Amino acid sequence: MSSYDVIIIGSGPGGYVCAIRCAQLGLKVACVEGRETLGGTCLNVGCIPSKALLHASHQLHEAEHNFAKMGLKGKAPSVDWKQMLSYKDEVISGNTSGIEFLFKKNKIGWIKGWASIPEAGKVKVGDDVHEAKNIVIASGSEVSTLPGVEIDEKVVVSSTGALQLGKIPKKLVVIGAGVIGLELGSVYKRLGAEVKVIEFLDAITPGMDAEVAKTFQRTLKKQRLGFQLGAAVQGVEVKNNKAKVTYKLRKDDSEHTEDADCVLVATGRKPFTDGLGLSELGVEMEERGQIKTDAHWATSVKGIYAIGDAITGPMLAHKAEDEGMGVAEVLAGKKGHVNYDVIPGVIYTHPEVASVGATEEQLKQAGRNYKVGKFSFMGNGRAKANFAGDGFVKILADKDTDRILGAHIIGPMAGDLIHEICVAMEFGAAAEDLARTCHAHPTYSEAVREAALACGDGPIHS
Ligand code: NAI
């Protein structure tokens, strides 16, 4: 039996970051992972592979739509799907082996297999029982399925199957206009598929600032993604490798069908805690299946902690990473902390969509006195040169104090631009602080500054 200061269950962004920080803080640490490779959903079948396919398909889109305008003549490249998938696989293995290297460098033990917790202080993997002063559960999440829809990962796929389809479908139906549906829907649209997205609600990307969501849907429609909103999917029937999706319109209960070569089910994810033995241990759970924790990630059982998708909050890799670092600090006797008010969210479509803090709807509901500073990328020289003038930056600030309360961006590099606003919010900055900061010209970031200027005396370029 081996014994450790900390055993972490799961090596996704929450678990592996926690392991590295524990080791850096002088704790003897091991991480249990049942997959063949480290990195969890994010590196193996999530964030990273989807970004590879988004990148490749975006290059094709640029060649088809913008090259000739810049004097780059000739036929746009054709798609070698097998090669694109092997590029994606190489990206995955480069990243997962990178984590393996970091584990070795930091002397972190990798216990291979699936873990259960027979009692606090003990982790069982196969026939071996390991001892740990503290256990951190970072077991992540799994696809949440719909009644009447059976995922076979061939014709009816989750995001996992959608990253390794045998061929590019002629017609793809996506169930759910959330992050996964729109990112992967964009990939296959750019690669030539007809794509129709069926969404239960009357708007795409629930929870997003409504003005941004509206612009986002308009932009995706221009890219010829089809939408059926306000529709509840009832079931999917598969015959001869073809699917028929049945849905009911919520406004009048009328039933409709949509044929497809492939159906992507992207209706959310749920915490994955199967097989850990949590109910036998008496670990308290939330109503929706998440592990209940206090502000320092402690569960109701002493010595057992939980982070990431397995607990409440947005299911985002970077939120899990921050919690991983935070709990490592707590276990090392330091003060771990995560500021949940400043967690950015990004959708990696083209253009990208990014947000942090409150939406306008949330501020209205809370009765806050706020002002809006908005700036269109049409007024940004760099964006215009790069055919990236669609979209805007919107900063919400307190009307009296000018303190930034939230920001929402749709446009080029939105996922990177959002971070200067995150830093500003972390420091409790006013919009004027951003507005008075010199921004290099010509950069997309000037649009952020202009939106901050729009919270005060006004932007220059609109
Ligand atoms: P989601 O929660 O973002 O969206 C699911 C959508 O499905 C919602 O709009 C919902 O209204 C709709 N829906 C539910 N039942 C339906 C039905 N019967 N018929 C039609 N529509 C229905 O979930 P998604 O996209 O599956 O993503 C899962 C998680 O993974 C999310 O928490 C997301 O934040 C995370 N993720 C984040 C990424 C990023 O940060 N770029 C990338 C991929 C995933």
Side-chain angles (χ1 to χ4, degrees), residues 83-224:
Q83 175 58 29
M84 200 178 283
L85 289 181
S86 58
Y87 149 67
K88 175 220 48 167
D89 290 338
E90 267 173 43
V91 171
I92 297 173
S93 63
N95 278 274
T96 55
S97 55
I99 307 299
E100 223 175 308
F101 163 78
L102 289 173
F103 269 27
K104 282 187 189 131
K105 182 179 161 197
N106 287 286
K107 301 190 174 43
I108 297 162
W110 174 4
I111 304 173
K112 295 186 184 181
W114 300 99
S116 62
I117 309 172
E119 59 186 275
K122 291 198 167 45
V123 173
K124 188 167 187 275
V125 183
D127 294 331
D128 298 331
V129 178
H130 306 268
E131 275 187 347
K133 285 183 203 139
N134 289 295
I135 298 166
V136 178
I137 301 169
S139 51
S141 59
E142 61 180 343
V143 172
S144 151
T145 47
L146 278 179
V149 181
E150 201 179 311
I151 293 175
D152 59 21
E153 297 296 13
K154 285 195 170 68
V155 180
V156 184
V157 297
S158 69
S159 52
T160 304
L163 293 168
Q164 51 201 26
L165 293 181
K167 57 177 189 210
I168 297 163
K170 279 209 177 75
K171 176 153 179 201
L172 171 71
V173 165
V174 176
I175 309 177
V179 191
I180 292 181
L182 298 179
E183 285 186 356
L184 289 173
S186 292
V187 165
Y188 286 104
K189 178 68 218 155
R190 293 173 197 161
L191 295 178
E194 180 190 343
V195 176
K196 173 114 182 220
V197 183
I198 303 177
E199 165 59 44
F200 181 81
L201 298 171
D202 295 323
I204 65 169
T205 53
M208 182 185 281
D209 186 274
E211 192 182 7
V212 176
K214 232 169 146 181
T215 307
F216 187 30
Q217 193 189 347
R218 205 176 324 124
T219 311
L220 292 173
K221 269 187 174 165
K222 270 210 282 191
Q223 295 170 11
R224 292 192 285 131

Side-chain angles (χ1 to χ4, degrees), residues 276-354:
L276 291 173
L278 299 185
S279 63
E280 294 82 343
L281 276 165
V283 173
E284 273 182 50
M285 307 294 281
E286 303 280 358
E287 253 169 49
R288 298 181 63 199
Q290 298 102 334
I291 300 169
K292 200 171 184 168
T293 56
D294 69 9
H296 291 102
W297 309 285
T299 70
S300 58
V301 175
K302 203 168 179 302
I304 301 181
Y305 295 77
I307 57 169
D309 285 9
I311 69 170
T312 50
M315 287 183 163
L316 296 171
H318 44 279
K319 174 253 193 192
E321 288 181 36
D322 285 18
E323 290 173 342
M325 284 192 273
V327 75
E329 286 168 342
V330 168
L331 297 178
K334 297 166 77 111
K335 295 203 178 341
H337 173 72
V338 171
N339 180 1
Y340 287 100
D341 290 336
V342 187
I343 296 198
V346 179
I347 307 181
Y348 299 88
T349 44
H350 194 84
E352 290 183 348
V353 184

